[in-house]
Amino acid sequence: MLATVGFIVPQFMRIPGEQFSFESIPNVIDAHDALPDSMGQIFLWISVIEAMTFPALANMDGYDREPGDFSFDPLGIYPSDPVKQNEYKLAELKNGRLAMIAIGGMVTGAAITGTGFPYLP
């Protein structure tokens, strides 16, 4: 879901720096090839965050915990009713699948048209 926002927002605003300017990278889809050092840094930090979840995965068999349940609910919105929990899980799966289709369509549209948002020729 954040990928779709992250694909549209840089079409309108950029972080400071000459290498990130609109003149250097006119289309967001070109940033992958134009900024190889930045892509390596993104990969590094994602790897570090993923590595922090290894202890939770290792303890999953020893405890009564479902995959994806990290017991992080600071607002207390996750219901205690099992039927309502299943509804939330299904809604999250559908939302994630729709987001994957959306980012796939956005990347395809940007690659085919070669223009920025709204990806019209």
Side-chain angles (χ1 to χ4, degrees):
M1 293 174 279
L2 289 178
T4 57
V5 175
F7 202 74
I8 294 173
V9 169
Q11 294 289 341
F12 303 107
M13 66 175 67
R14 302 281 173 92
I15 59 175
E18 182 59 34
Q19 70 268 23
F20 305 115
S21 69
F22 288 102
E23 292 79 27
S24 297
I25 305 170
N27 294 326
V28 174
I29 198 152
D30 299 331
H32 183 274
D33 297 330
L35 302 168
D37 295 336
S38 298
M39 292 298 133
Q41 191 175 34
I42 290 171
F43 181 74
L44 170 76
W45 288 111
I46 289 174
S47 300
V48 167
I49 291 170
E50 285 291 323
M52 285 192 268
T53 64
F54 290 161
L57 293 173
N59 290 331
M60 193 165 59
D61 293 332
Y63 298 99
D64 186 25
R65 186 174 90 64
E66 293 183 18
D69 180 18
F70 293 102
S71 298
F72 182 75
D73 188 19
L75 300 177
I77 58 174
Y78 193 66
S80 57
D81 181 31
V83 174
K84 196 69 172 167
Q85 286 178 356
N86 287 335
E87 287 179 21
Y88 271 48
K89 290 177 187 178
L90 182 61
E92 183 65 24
L93 281 174
K94 288 181 176 182
N95 193 9
R97 290 173 181 159
L98 181 62
M100 286 187 278
I101 291 171
I103 192 65
M106 292 168 70
V107 170
T108 303
I112 290 173
T113 63
T115 61
F117 186 77
Y119 315 116
L120 299 173

